[in-house]
């Protein structure tokens, strides 16, 4: 089932368009600049009113807390006021970019949110995940751990009681 959803966005191996957007925190952030100093960048496209986005963001924050030196960026399809409230409500301390005109969402082939991409040092998409896919989030955690040389610890605990899949 996840493969059907993955067909609607950029697939692994495709060159990722260079995202250069204003961040909620202030200045612009650029994917190409980030990849000059990081092996990967995680891009998580979302809308503030999306229930699945609301569900997934605390787990993205957990990834950020586990791996603070790996860029994880939220890419909001909403205005700065709504996005700031979302970030506060869901405890997102990682950078949030504003794509309120949807230019980059269109360039990335999005039809659903949340959609998460791992973009590698070579500028190509390494993983695409649409909706909430528990196995994909664990794979992101595994790849980050492998790159950083840290000990792999599961992203989810038994107490989390999360579904394997929730479409966006």
């Amino acid at each position: 089932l996840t493969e059907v959803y993955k067909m609607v966005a950029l697939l692994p191996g495709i060159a990722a368009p260079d995202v250069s957007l204003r961040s909620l925190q202030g200045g612009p952030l650029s994917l190409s600049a980030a990849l000059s100093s990081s092996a990967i960048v995680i891009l998580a496209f979302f809308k503030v009113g999306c229930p699945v986005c609301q569900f997934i963001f605390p787990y993205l924050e957990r990834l950020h807390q586990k791996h603070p030196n790996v860029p994880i960026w939220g890419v909001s399809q909403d205005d700065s006021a709504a996005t700031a409230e979302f970030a506060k409500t869901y405890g997102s301390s990682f950078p949030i970019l504003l794509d309120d005109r949807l230019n980059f969402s269109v360039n990335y082939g999005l039809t659903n949110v949340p959609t998460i991409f791992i973009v590698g040092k070579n500028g190509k998409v390494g993983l695409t995940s649409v909706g909430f896919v528990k196995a994909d989030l664990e794979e992101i955690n595994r790849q980050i751990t492998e790159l950083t040389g840290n000990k792999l610890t599961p992203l989810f605990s038994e107490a989390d009681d999360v579904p394997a899949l929730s479409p966006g």
Side-chain angles (χ1 to χ4, degrees), residues 39-54:
I40 61 171
V41 173
I42 313 299
L43 300 173
F45 288 80
F46 71 100
K47 286 196 71 59
V48 301
C50 163
V52 179
C53 299
Q54 296 164 4

Side-chain angles (χ1 to χ4, degrees), residues 44-47 50-54 56-57 60 110 112-116 129-132 166-168:
F45 288 80
F46 71 100
K47 286 196 71 59
C50 163
V52 179
C53 299
Q54 296 164 4
I56 202 171
F57 257 67
L60 293 174
L110 299 188
N112 294 54
V113 288
T115 298
I116 301 170
S129 180
V130 179
F132 175 86
S166 182

Side-chain angles (χ1 to χ4, degrees), residues 22-136:
R22 180 174 57 92
S23 74
L24 188 60
Q25 293 77 5
L29 291 175
S30 163
L31 178 61
S32 59
L35 288 173
S36 70
S37 61
S38 180
I40 61 171
V41 173
I42 313 299
L43 300 173
F45 288 80
F46 71 100
K47 286 196 71 59
V48 301
C50 163
V52 179
C53 299
Q54 296 164 4
F55 181 75
I56 202 171
F57 257 67
Y59 297 108
L60 293 174
E61 179 62 24
R62 190 180 289 179
L63 265 176
H64 174 63
Q65 294 300 319
K66 286 171 68 84
H67 310 287
N69 296 324
V70 174
I72 298 175
W73 296 348
V75 182
S76 174
Q77 296 178 338
D78 294 284
D79 65 36
S80 61
T83 301
E85 184 60 33
F86 178 94
K88 180 180 174 186
T89 300
Y90 295 98
S92 301
S93 65
F94 51 86
I96 306 287
L97 307 177
L98 299 169
D99 188 25
D100 51 353
R101 294 185 182 180
L102 306 181
N103 293 332
F104 284 99
S105 295
V106 169
N107 288 344
Y108 275 72
L110 299 188
T111 59
N112 294 54
V113 288
T115 298
I116 301 170
F117 299 95
I118 292 181
V119 180
K121 187 91 168 157
N122 61 2
K124 293 185 178 179
V125 174
L127 179 140
T128 301
S129 180
V130 179
F132 175 86
V133 182
K134 184 177 178 182
D136 287 352

Side-chain angles (χ1 to χ4, degrees), residues 149-168:
N150 296 329
K151 182 180 180 215
L152 179 63
T153 58
L155 182 62
F156 299 96
S157 71
E158 290 181 26
D160 288 324
D161 190 30
V162 296
L165 170 73
S166 182

